[in-house]
Amino acid sequence: MPTLIARPTRIEAAGTKPKVIEEYVGRVNSSTSSLSVAHMRSPEGWEEPGQTPEFEEYTLVLRGTLRVEHKNGHLDVPDGQAVITHRGEWVRYSTPFAGGAEYVAICLPAFSPETVHRDA
C-alpha cells in the first residue's frame, strides 16, 4: 500500500543565514535511510560550510540561482536546471544572488549529519 507523506518536517540548516529545509522523505520525516527528498529555500547571501558527503545529491532549482563550488571552480545553476554532486567530492552550496533560491534536493542514500562530513 502506498505511504502518504502528509507534511514535511522542518530541519535545522547549517550556514550563515536562516535557510528553510522541509524534509518530505528521509531519516527524520519518514524513517527512510535509502533516499531523502527535501524542499529548500535559501535567502540571498546564504552560504554553508564545504562538505565531502558519502551520498550523491541531485538538486533541481525551482526559482533563483544556486551556486555549487567544487575543487576546480563553481557552477551557477539557475531555475529550470539541475546539478548532480557526487559522493566523495568536496562541494559548497550558496545563494549569492538577489532573491536567493528555492530548490528540491534528493540524496541517495538519505542525507545524514554523520555522512555529510562538513568542513570544520
Side-chain angles (χ1 to χ4, degrees), residues 23 25-27 32-38 40 51 53-59 85 87 93 104-112 115-116:
E23 180 186 274
V25 177
R27 296 176 193 275
T32 304
S33 61
S34 58
L35 170 90
S36 60
V37 178
M40 317 252 196
Q51 60 189 34
E54 294 179 28
F55 48 81
E56 305 283 321
E57 188 163 350
Y58 305 83
T59 305
T85 58
R87 73 184 76 211
Y93 297 96
V104 173
I106 300 168
C107 298
L108 184 65
F111 176 91
S112 164
T115 62
V116 71

Side-chain angles (χ1 to χ4, degrees), residues 2 5 8 13 20-21 23 25 29 31 35 45 63 78 84 86 95:
I5 306 296
V20 175
I21 301 175
E23 180 186 274
V25 177
N29 198 52
S31 298
L35 170 90
R63 182 189 57 76
I84 302 170
H86 303 282
T95 49

Side-chain angles (χ1 to χ4, degrees), residues 12-19 21 43 45-50 93 118:
E12 185 176 337
T16 57
K17 290 186 169 188
K19 169 186 169 180
I21 301 175
W46 169 82
E47 181 180 273
E48 72 177 359
Y93 297 96
R118 289 198 173 101

Side-chain angles (χ1 to χ4, degrees), residues 5-94:
I5 306 296
R7 68 186 58 82
T9 297
R10 188 161 286 188
I11 307 291
E12 185 176 337
T16 57
K17 290 186 169 188
K19 169 186 169 180
V20 175
I21 301 175
E22 293 180 323
E23 180 186 274
Y24 283 84
V25 177
R27 296 176 193 275
V28 175
N29 198 52
S30 64
S31 298
T32 304
S33 61
S34 58
L35 170 90
S36 60
V37 178
H39 181 201
M40 317 252 196
R41 288 183 296 284
S42 301
E44 175 182 340
W46 169 82
E47 181 180 273
E48 72 177 359
Q51 60 189 34
T52 308
E54 294 179 28
F55 48 81
E56 305 283 321
E57 188 163 350
Y58 305 83
T59 305
L60 171 62
V61 179
L62 305 172
R63 182 189 57 76
T65 301
L66 177 67
R67 175 165 283 175
V68 182
E69 293 177 61
H70 53 88
K71 67 179 182 176
N72 296 318
H74 70 270
L75 297 171
D76 289 332
V77 186
D79 54 89
Q81 292 188 356
V83 62
I84 302 170
T85 58
H86 303 282
R87 73 184 76 211
E89 294 183 351
W90 181 88
V91 293
R92 178 174 31 220
Y93 297 96
S94 64

